[in-house]
């Protein structure tokens, strides 16, 4: 596979003020005393990775968490400086950080902007305070508006707002109100996810029998509503749960779905480099002590093809027939002809010079994607 | 060894009264095994048996006992299965014995199977002597139990040893009693060979190993033997005794002895249990009595989950049949399930055991269809067919009438539960025969019950409605005319042959409704709505619907989620592979089995 394309870098910040009841990301609350130790370990990891992958050109960086905006701004800007020093950056890299409305002060956002961050992603989830309480978020809607104002004042023009549907107690009406409120703020990007019950979270235990959650039909109506509603405000759906104004699609995330290489730094971060998937451990203590070991899985040709399909089909535009042939030396028809025909017959998939899911296919994407697994 | 010093015996008991534990103690005390060598229970050596705590295969052990009179005796202890399904195994084991120890629980007293087993032993002219077990239990009442044995069974029990097999109390009494009570075998070494096959087993090194009781004559390496019923002739390769868990080769087996024979027997069907082995060059005048072809009571279809494993299933069945003469099978095909076998079993427990053994010992994934009994279908043209597969039922216009098997059932229960047990029997279309009080607090209820009403979950229902105080035994009475119908299941309007079964007209609606409910839970949602219908004679009597799938998508998939997400999709794909395609509906294998458990809620 050609590696002429750039690489994305993901940096994980595993700290939160409080852990939300639905969240299963690797993150810890009440560990403020470990911030500096963590960031210095992160610095060591970067040096180590530079020796291995230093020749790469970075064209996107994404700070995620946890809550990257929780520590002092100098923590993030410091790491960004180290990255710039160790790696080559392309001319116009996309540099994003997630921001929690609770910790997005003007000073912090301004510092980010000045250090070179050019995109922020604010985790709002809902404009309804009751729903935010249900989600055990630390912020309310008012805090979000302040944070959003701060971001504009600091000079950010590329802002994503995270929303959530199928929240316990949420109705179509309250969800529509959230959509409207946010759309009218006119951000460049909106991510709208349906709540996933992750095993091991308090939410899973509370709602695994499905009681108290919006039913499946409502869940789908919320998705349909999101698409139709945001379209009127100029947002195009480009992935199952992502909407953007033209030209503001998130380059870093698209990299995941197009199987661009990415380097994950920090605790529990994952990487895809040289057709190998890496997964770092999630033991904070060990990480701080300089243990950056990871599980590796070398991807054979079949796995690469499977991934190409199921990741690419998350995008509304789907996968490129030409690109498939370029990568794997045979046509997509030859490899998956029967599956394409079957799914097409079921009204779930279309193909011309690209292969992509229909709206109905996107609703049952797992069903479609699993067909591409050997 | 002199025949006078041989004792061939078995232990009979109601389930859980301590038969296997007593057997262990006897083996231990006769000194052939150290305690370290003892497995938890020496005789029950199949994993399955140890887990379920019941004996399925009869096992045999030869030990040496030095009696108080200073002389050594050979004990051949032949273990017998404890479950009503295995009556034929019990009977052929009994036929190899001269005496039987009757174990009765000091707290529970005489139970349904105690009676059934004693009568079976007496039928075989065995000397039966009782032993009262578990006397150290707080609830033990040996006096009462002794009286019960004398009153209900009618055998002398005043001098019965009072023992605890578990704690090794008074085991020596039992050993002395064996020497004293069990008669030495009769017969003559000089007569032509006459030996009873009471079990056989397949060993990958030795081939078929035949378990015999030599009644007359002798057999050794080189003897050309003939199986009188099957006609097979083979040369003996080895003879020997049963050590605990091992085979001990010896010179010869002669009249009165119990042991094994190996010959280069290739065809497993040549060694039918109950058959008589004789010397081909000097045959005995006639075969030993009691041989019968085993009748299967319950039938079901057994299919490999993976169609390609069909030959493996055939090999496995062939090998199992070697250990289990009562297993019957013949090839059949199903539209829904492909190639498989229609198998006949002694009862539902037997079915479950075979299924588990196929899965565990032969590593097969199976799909089984609903079990049914053998119906007699009388056609208008005067023919009669014995129906073992519902799919073969002729069209209603060709059927004059049908008959179903009926059993005589005896249920022993404490008086407080008489009402609920009678109610259960009525629900199962039982015909009340009689009730007698065998003592103040216990009654023996007799019913005629259709076999097809007890093969599903009668035991479980009996247990739950009597809080475990009812015991049950039955024997086939014969066939009776009955209004039976075929219940068909349609999935997305297509009939699924593997889900059809025969049911009494009055129960059809209830069973059909339950089937549809169960299938609704088992069949995953598809992209379209799936009706599930039950029909009798083309008329729909029940319906459920599997709603169409509207959502099957993970909202998020970023860099850290990909590996996990792929595993999920792989699992989903794996699940699809394990489905059976009926029309455009994919049905999971276990849906075919869900009909077995209709009454578990």
């Amino acid at each position: 596979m050609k590696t002429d394309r750039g690489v994305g870098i993901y940096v994980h910040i595993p700290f939160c003020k409080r852990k939300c009841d639905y969240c299963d990301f690797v993150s810890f609350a009440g560990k403020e005393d470990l911030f500096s130790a963590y960031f210095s370990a992160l610095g060591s990891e970067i040096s180590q990775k530079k020796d291995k992958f230093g020749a790469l050109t970075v064209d996107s960086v994404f700070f995620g968490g946890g809550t990257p905006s929780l520590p002092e701004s100098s923590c993030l800007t410091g790491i960004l400086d180290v990255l710039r020093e160790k790696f080559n950056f392309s001319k116009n890299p996309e540099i994003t950080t997630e921001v929690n409305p609770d910790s997005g002060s003007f000073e912090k956002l301004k510092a980010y902007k000045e250090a070179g961050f050019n995109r922020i992603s604010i985790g709002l989830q809902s404009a309804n305070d009751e729903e935010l309480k249900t989600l055990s978020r630390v912020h309310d809607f008012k805090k979000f508006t302040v944070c959003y104002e701060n971001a504009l004042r600091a000079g950010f023009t590329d802002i994503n707002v995270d929303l959530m549907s199928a929240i316990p107690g949420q109705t179509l009406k309250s969800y529509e109100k959230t959509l409207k409120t946010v759309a009218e703020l006119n951000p460049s990007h909106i991510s709208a996810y349906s709540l996933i019950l992750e095993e091991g979270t308090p939410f899973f235990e509370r709602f695994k029998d499905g009681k108290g959650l919006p039913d499946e039909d409502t869940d789908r109506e919320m998705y349909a509503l999101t698409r139709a509603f945001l379209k009127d405000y100029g947002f195009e759906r480009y992935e199952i749960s992502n909407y953007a104004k033209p030209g503001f699609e998130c380059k870093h995330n698209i990299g995941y779905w197009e199987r661009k290489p990415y380097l994950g730094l920090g605790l529990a971060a994952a990487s895809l480099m040289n057709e190998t998937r890496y997964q770092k451990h999630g033991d904070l203590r060990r990480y701080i002590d300089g243990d950056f070991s990871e599980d590796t899985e070398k991807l054979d040709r079949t796995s690469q093809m499977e991934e190409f399909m199921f990741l690419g089909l998350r995008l509304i535009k789907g996968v490129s027939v030409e690109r498939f042939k370029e990568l794997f030396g045979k046509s997509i028809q030859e490899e998956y002809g029967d599956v394409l025909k079957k799914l097409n017959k079921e009204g779930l998939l279309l193909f011309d010079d690209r292969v992509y899911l229909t709206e109905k296919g996107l609703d049952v994407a797992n069903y479609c994607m699993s067909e591409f697994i050997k | 060894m002199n025949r006078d010093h041989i004792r061939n015996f078995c232990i009979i008991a109601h389930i859980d009264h301590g038969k296997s534990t007593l057997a262990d103690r006897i083996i231990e005390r006769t000194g052939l095994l150290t305690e370290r060598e003892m497995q938890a229970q020496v005789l029950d050596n199949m994993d399955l048996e140890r887990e379920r705590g019941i004996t399925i295969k009869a096992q045999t052990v030869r030990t040496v006992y030095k009696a108080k009179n200073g002389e050594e005796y050979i004990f051949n202890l032949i273990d017998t299965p404890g479950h009503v399904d295995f009556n034929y195994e019990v009977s052929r084991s009994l036929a190899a014995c001269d005496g039987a120890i009757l174990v009765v629980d000091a707290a529970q007293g005489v139970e349904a199977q105690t009676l059934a087993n004693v009568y079976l032993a007496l039928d075989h002219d065995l000397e039966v002597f009782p032993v009262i077990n578990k006397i150290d239990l707080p609830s033990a009442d040996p006096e009462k139990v002794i009286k019960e044995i004398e009153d209900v069974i009618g055998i002398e029990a005043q001098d019965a040893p009072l023992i605890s097999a578990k704690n090794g109390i008074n085991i020596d009494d039992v050993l002395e009693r064996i020497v004293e009570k069990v008669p030495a075998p009769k017969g003559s070494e000089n007569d032509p060979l006459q030996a009873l096959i009471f079990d056989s087993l397949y060993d990958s090194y030795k081939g078929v190993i035949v378990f015999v009781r030599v009644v007359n004559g002798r057999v050794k390496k080189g003897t050309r033997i003939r199986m009188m019923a099957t006609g097979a002739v083979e040369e003996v390769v080895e003879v020997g005794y049963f050590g605990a868990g091992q085979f001990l080769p010896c010179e010869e087996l002669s009249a009165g002895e119990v042991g094994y024979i190996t010959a280069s027997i290739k065809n497993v069907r040549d060694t039918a249990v109950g058959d008589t082995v004789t010397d081909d060059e000097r045959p005995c005048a006639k075969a030993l009595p009691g041989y019968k072809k085993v009748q299967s009571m319950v039938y079901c279809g057994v299919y490999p989950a993976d169609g390609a494993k069909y030959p493996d299933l055939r090999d496995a069945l062939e090998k199992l049949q070697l250990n289990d003469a009562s297993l019957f099978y013949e090839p059949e095909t199903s539209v829904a399930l492909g190639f498989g076998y229609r198998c006949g079993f002694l009862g539902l427990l037997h079915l479950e055991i075979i299924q588990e053994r196929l899965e565990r010992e032969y590593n097969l994934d199976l799909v089984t269809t609903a079990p049914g009994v053998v119906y007699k279908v009388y056609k208008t043209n005067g023919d009669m067919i014995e129906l073992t597969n519902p799919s073969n039922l002729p069209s209603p216009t060709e059927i004059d009438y049908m008959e179903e098997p009926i059993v005589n059932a005896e249920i022993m229960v404490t008086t407080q539960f008489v009402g609920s047990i009678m109610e259960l029997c009525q629900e199962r279309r039982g015909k009340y025969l009689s009730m007698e009080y065998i003592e103040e607090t216990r009654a023996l209820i007799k019913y005629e019950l259709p076999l097809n009403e007890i093969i599903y979950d009668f035991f479980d229902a009996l247990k739950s409605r009597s809080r475990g105080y009812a015991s049950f035994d039955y024997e086939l009475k014969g066939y009776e005319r009955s209004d039976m119908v075929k219940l068909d299941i349609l999935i997305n309007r297509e009939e699924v042959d593997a889900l059809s079964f025969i049911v009494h007209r009055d129960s059809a609606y209830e069973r059909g409704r339950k089937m549809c409910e169960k299938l609704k839970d088992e069949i995953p949602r598809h992209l379209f709505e799936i009706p599930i219908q039950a029909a009798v004679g083309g008329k729909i009597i029940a319906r459920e619907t599997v709603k169409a799938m509207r959502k099957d998508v993970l909202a998020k998939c970023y860099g850290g989620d990909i590996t996990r997400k792929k595993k999920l999709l792989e699992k989903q794909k794996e699940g699809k592979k394990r489905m059976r395609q009926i029309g455009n509906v994919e049905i999971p294998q276990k849906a075919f089995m869900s009909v077995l458990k209709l009454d578990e809620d």
Side-chain angles (χ1 to χ4, degrees):
Chain A
M1 182 169 165
K2 294 181 198 165
T3 47
D4 54 343
R5 294 185 300 165
V7 60
I9 286 184
Y10 174 81
V11 185
H12 191 65
I13 311 299
F15 302 109
C16 286
K17 190 166 163 185
R18 186 167 86 204
K19 183 105 178 152
C20 299
D21 285 354
Y22 60 88
C23 172
D24 80 328
F25 285 108
V26 176
S27 181
F28 307 92
K31 298 268 184 209
E32 284 73 9
D33 54 323
L34 295 177
F35 286 1
S36 68
Y38 181 78
F39 283 96
S40 79
L42 199 49
S44 320
E45 197 198 351
I46 294 170
S47 302
Q48 220 180 69
K49 290 286 163 17
K50 178 220 156 51
D51 298 340
K52 210 172 165 189
F53 304 113
L56 303 166
T57 303
V58 176
D59 53 19
S60 71
V61 180
F62 195 107
F63 285 76
T67 309
S69 60
L70 186 61
E72 294 296 306
S73 58
S74 59
C75 292
L76 293 204
T77 57
I79 291 296
L80 184 57
D81 288 345
V82 176
L83 287 173
R84 283 186 196 279
E85 184 193 315
K86 306 276 184 190
F87 295 95
N88 299 320
F89 273 55
S90 65
K91 217 182 282 168
N92 292 306
E94 177 193 89
I95 302 174
T96 309
T97 182
E98 290 177 347
V99 172
N100 187 292
D102 182 60
S103 48
S105 68
F106 175 71
E107 289 68 27
K108 221 175 236 171
L109 289 160
K110 191 157 177 283
Y112 293 156
K113 187 76 177 73
E114 280 164 4
F117 283 88
N118 50 29
R119 186 175 183 271
I120 62 164
S121 172
I122 310 177
L124 168 63
Q125 317 308 350
S126 169
N128 179 312
D129 284 346
E130 275 308 305
E131 290 167 13
L132 289 174
K133 222 178 273 170
T134 304
L135 292 173
S136 63
R137 298 288 297 195
V138 291
H139 66 274
D140 55 19
F141 182 66
K142 182 130 187 290
K143 274 190 179 160
F144 165 79
T145 49
V146 172
C147 173
Y148 192 83
E149 284 302 316
N150 291 340
L152 291 178
R153 269 209 295 148
F156 283 101
T157 51
D158 193 354
I159 303 176
N160 168 58
V161 178
D162 268 350
L163 297 180
M164 199 183 276
S165 60
I167 299 169
Q170 193 178 40
T171 61
L172 260 175
K173 211 170 151 197
S174 73
Y175 181 62
E176 185 173 343
K177 200 171 162 205
T178 292
L179 281 176
K180 188 167 163 27
T181 312
V182 173
E184 282 178 354
L185 288 173
N186 200 27
S188 59
H189 193 287
I190 291 177
S191 295
Y193 310 100
S194 153
L195 169 74
I196 305 174
L197 286 185
E198 300 283 6
E199 233 169 298
T201 61
F203 255 46
F204 184 82
E205 291 311 313
R206 214 177 307 158
F207 296 109
K208 64 184 167 192
D209 59 357
K211 270 182 214 146
L213 288 175
D215 63 19
E216 200 174 290
D217 287 352
T218 311
D219 177 288
R220 285 302 92 186
E221 279 174 55
M222 287 176 176
Y223 258 69
L225 176 71
T226 312
R227 183 181 170 127
F229 194 92
L230 292 184
K231 201 174 172 71
D232 289 347
Y233 283 84
F235 294 91
E236 272 306 319
R237 185 189 197 190
Y238 70 98
E239 193 259 0
I240 290 178
S241 307
N242 283 285
Y243 304 80
K245 293 281 174 68
F248 285 90
E249 296 83 7
C250 176
K251 290 186 195 73
H252 182 83
N253 287 341
I254 288 176
Y256 294 136
W257 303 315
E258 294 190 334
R259 302 193 74 248
K260 210 168 96 172
Y262 61 94
L263 183 59
L265 302 167
L267 187 68
S271 308
L272 170 67
M273 298 298 282
N274 302 323
E275 292 303 347
T276 304
R277 290 210 176 270
Y278 298 86
Q279 175 64 56
K280 224 167 300 149
H281 67 83
D283 184 333
L284 182 59
R285 196 67 249 173
R286 267 168 56 206
Y287 186 87
I288 286 173
D289 290 343
D291 176 356
F292 312 130
S293 59
E294 35 200 356
D295 290 337
T296 62
E297 186 200 356
K298 181 88 192 140
L299 302 173
D300 60 18
R301 214 174 166 63
T302 309
S303 295
Q304 292 171 32
M305 268 191 264
E306 288 171 358
E307 287 192 8
F308 181 88
M309 294 310 296
F310 84 73
L311 291 170
L313 288 173
R314 293 192 66 87
L315 293 165
I316 306 304
K317 66 177 183 182
V319 302
S320 154
V321 168
E322 198 188 322
R323 179 81 180 142
F324 187 94
K325 180 128 195 200
E326 206 177 291
L327 289 173
F328 304 113
K330 59 166 127 177
S331 77
I332 206 165
Q333 279 287 353
E334 189 183 335
E335 183 67 27
Y336 290 120
D338 290 347
V339 177
L340 297 181
K341 227 175 286 166
K342 177 181 180 239
L343 294 176
N344 179 258
K345 212 175 125 199
E346 292 176 318
L348 305 174
L349 174 144
L350 294 169
F351 52 97
D352 34 58
D353 57 336
R354 301 190 71 90
V355 173
Y356 50 101
L357 298 181
T358 62
E359 194 143 342
K360 193 176 161 203
L362 290 166
D363 280 344
V364 293
N366 288 350
Y367 169 85
C368 303
M369 290 165 179
S370 69
E371 290 288 330
F372 293 92
I373 306 284
K374 281 275 165 334
Chain B
M1 177 67 65
N2 191 323
R3 260 207 318 281
D4 293 346
H5 286 70
I6 298 176
R7 296 292 180 271
N8 298 323
F9 63 97
C10 60
I11 305 174
I12 56 179
H14 186 75
I15 193 160
D16 283 343
H17 281 199
K19 185 180 67 177
S20 296
T21 316
L22 177 59
D24 287 351
R25 288 298 94 78
I26 291 174
I27 293 164
E28 212 173 52
R29 292 298 170 93
T30 45
L32 276 190
L33 279 184
T34 63
E35 274 190 44
R36 193 172 51 82
E37 286 167 330
M38 293 285 290
Q39 287 176 296
Q41 286 192 344
V42 173
L43 285 184
D44 289 350
N45 72 7
M46 282 197 289
D47 285 353
L48 207 59
E49 292 183 348
R50 202 163 305 125
E51 276 166 35
R52 289 179 176 238
I54 53 169
T55 307
I56 300 159
K57 286 288 298 164
Q59 305 275 329
T60 298
V61 175
R62 176 187 190 266
T63 64
V64 182
Y65 173 60
K66 190 161 185 186
K68 285 187 178 145
N69 64 16
E71 306 204 18
E72 283 195 330
Y73 290 84
I74 299 288
F75 282 2
N76 284 308
L77 166 54
I78 297 167
D79 199 18
T80 58
H83 192 274
V84 57
D85 274 8
F86 302 99
N87 260 336
Y88 185 64
E89 286 217 10
V90 177
S91 85
R92 72 204 183 184
S93 300
L94 292 179
C97 300
D98 301 300
I101 306 172
L102 170 67
V103 180
V104 182
D105 185 310
Q108 307 282 337
V110 174
E111 302 267 13
Q113 282 168 32
T114 315
L115 279 181
N117 284 321
V118 169
Y119 293 144
L120 211 52
L122 294 176
D123 278 351
H124 286 85
D125 290 329
L126 301 194
E127 196 63 48
V128 179
F129 70 91
V131 163
I132 315 294
N133 192 21
K134 307 193 190 180
I135 51 146
D136 51 347
L137 287 185
S139 53
D141 190 350
E143 281 311 309
K144 188 174 148 199
V145 172
I146 286 170
K147 191 164 177 303
E148 214 174 85
I149 294 173
E150 294 192 331
D151 291 353
V152 180
I153 303 177
I155 59 173
E156 171 70 31
Q158 281 308 322
D159 60 348
L162 305 180
I163 69 163
S164 163
K166 192 172 160 210
N167 296 313
I169 301 169
N170 287 337
I171 303 301
D172 291 345
D173 275 6
V174 181
L175 299 174
E176 286 296 315
R177 203 61 62 93
I178 294 167
V179 173
E180 182 190 318
K181 293 275 187 182
V182 177
K186 297 189 185 71
S188 156
E189 282 118 59
N190 300 320
D191 284 357
L193 174 64
Q194 197 182 28
L196 171 74
I197 303 181
F198 64 89
D199 203 355
S200 64
L201 116 96
Y202 184 84
D203 181 279
S204 43
Y205 299 105
K206 293 178 195 276
V208 182
I209 300 174
V210 188
F211 291 26
V212 292
R213 155 74 189 268
V214 183
V215 177
N216 284 304
R218 52 185 78 201
V219 56
K220 58 184 175 187
K221 184 176 171 181
T223 309
R224 280 180 68 78
I225 51 167
R226 171 149 47 108
M227 321 292 169
M228 296 184 74
T230 66
V233 176
E234 294 292 345
E235 192 176 299
V236 174
V237 173
E238 184 181 306
V239 297
Y241 303 122
F242 303 104
Q246 57 184 327
F247 294 104
L248 306 170
C250 67
E251 276 298 303
E252 69 165 25
L253 294 173
S254 62
E257 291 190 297
V258 172
Y260 69 91
I261 300 174
T262 67
S264 45
I265 302 168
K266 291 179 198 80
N267 194 334
V268 305
R269 293 178 197 90
D270 288 343
T271 57
V273 168
D275 199 356
T276 301
V277 179
T278 192
D279 189 329
D280 190 47
E281 275 140 40
R282 193 181 159 227
C284 57
K286 59 177 187 170
L288 293 161
Y291 173 75
K292 62 175 183 186
K293 240 181 128 79
V294 198
Q295 292 295 317
S296 300
M297 303 275 263
V298 177
Y299 282 80
C300 77
V302 177
Y303 292 81
D306 173 0
K309 292 273 174 72
Y310 176 73
D312 298 11
L313 175 59
R314 185 190 55 220
D315 291 352
L317 284 169
E318 204 162 279
K319 284 192 183 134
L320 273 186
Q321 197 187 42
L322 203 56
N323 282 341
D324 186 345
S326 50
L327 170 66
F328 166 87
Y329 63 93
E330 64 183 13
E332 73 171 11
T333 50
S334 149
V335 179
L337 299 175
F339 290 100
Y341 287 94
R342 174 102 335 210
C343 296
F345 306 94
L346 299 173
L348 200 63
L349 178 74
H350 187 212
L351 180 157
E352 278 176 31
I353 286 162
I354 294 293
Q355 191 184 325
E356 274 190 57
R357 291 191 64 190
L358 286 169
E359 291 185 331
R360 278 195 211 191
E361 294 169 30
Y362 298 91
N363 217 3
L364 291 165
D365 250 336
L366 299 178
V367 182
T368 52
T369 64
V373 301
V374 185
Y375 298 96
K376 289 184 175 170
V377 182
Y378 291 86
K379 295 168 68 172
T380 45
N381 66 5
D383 290 353
M384 188 275 280
I385 54 172
E386 294 199 340
L387 186 78
T388 57
N389 181 348
S391 301
N392 298 337
L393 186 71
S395 81
T397 53
E398 289 176 53
I399 300 172
D400 185 6
Y401 65 94
M402 282 170 74
E403 285 182 351
E404 67 172 329
I406 304 291
V407 300
N408 277 320
E410 295 191 354
I411 300 163
M412 210 173 273
V413 64
T414 43
T415 43
Q416 67 189 116
F417 298 112
V418 163
S420 57
I421 294 306
M422 288 177 71
E423 205 175 280
L424 172 67
C425 291
Q426 297 295 348
E427 284 166 22
R428 302 297 174 107
R429 299 191 285 127
K431 192 164 113 196
Y432 173 81
L433 295 178
S434 68
M435 181 170 76
E436 53 190 289
Y437 284 87
I438 50 175
E439 48 159 359
E440 256 172 60
T441 56
R442 281 202 310 165
L444 179 66
I445 313 173
K446 294 187 178 176
Y447 263 90
E448 276 180 19
L449 282 161
L451 182 61
N452 96 343
E453 294 286 344
I454 57 178
I455 59 169
Y456 287 96
D457 60 345
F458 191 75
F459 288 92
D460 295 341
L462 199 66
K463 236 188 250 163
S464 67
R465 294 203 198 182
S466 67
R467 290 197 213 129
Y469 282 110
S471 60
F472 173 60
D473 194 50
Y474 68 82
E475 59 178 15
L476 190 65
K477 172 183 176 253
Y479 274 77
E480 277 177 20
R481 191 165 166 159
S482 188
D483 189 8
M484 309 305 288
V485 293
K486 180 160 150 256
L487 182 72
D488 294 316
I489 297 294
L490 291 82
I491 293 178
N492 207 19
R493 297 184 179 81
E494 266 193 62
E495 190 180 311
V496 183
D497 61 352
L499 289 173
S500 295
F501 58 97
I502 308 280
V503 62
H504 191 267
R505 190 180 296 279
D506 295 345
S507 321
Y509 169 73
E510 189 63 17
R511 292 208 87 86
R513 190 180 55 80
K514 280 188 180 164
M515 283 276 287
C516 291
E517 280 171 9
K518 196 86 178 185
L519 287 168
K520 184 190 168 194
D521 293 339
E522 296 287 347
I523 296 174
R525 298 202 290 160
H526 284 55
L527 298 169
F528 44 87
E529 191 178 278
I530 304 166
I532 299 168
Q533 298 160 305
V536 170
K539 192 172 156 249
I540 306 295
I541 56 169
R543 174 185 165 130
E544 291 283 339
T545 305
V546 179
K547 276 174 58 180
M549 171 173 70
R550 290 219 42 209
K551 177 195 176 189
D552 182 21
V553 56
L554 274 187
K556 278 188 190 191
C557 183
Y558 295 114
D561 309 318
I562 294 170
T563 306
R564 206 164 46 131
K565 162 99 174 164
K566 189 158 63 179
K567 293 234 163 70
L568 216 102
L569 294 174
E570 278 165 2
K571 215 171 133 192
Q572 191 163 354
K573 177 75 179 198
E574 202 46 48
K576 270 188 211 174
K577 281 187 194 158
R578 296 175 57 87
M579 304 254 188
R580 295 283 173 162
Q581 185 93 24
I582 308 283
N584 55 353
V585 180
E586 283 168 338
I587 304 177
Q589 320 263 16
K590 69 182 199 336
F592 292 97
M593 269 107 84
S594 64
V595 293
L596 292 171
K597 306 205 154 75
L598 282 185
D599 298 279
E600 275 176 13
D601 284 321

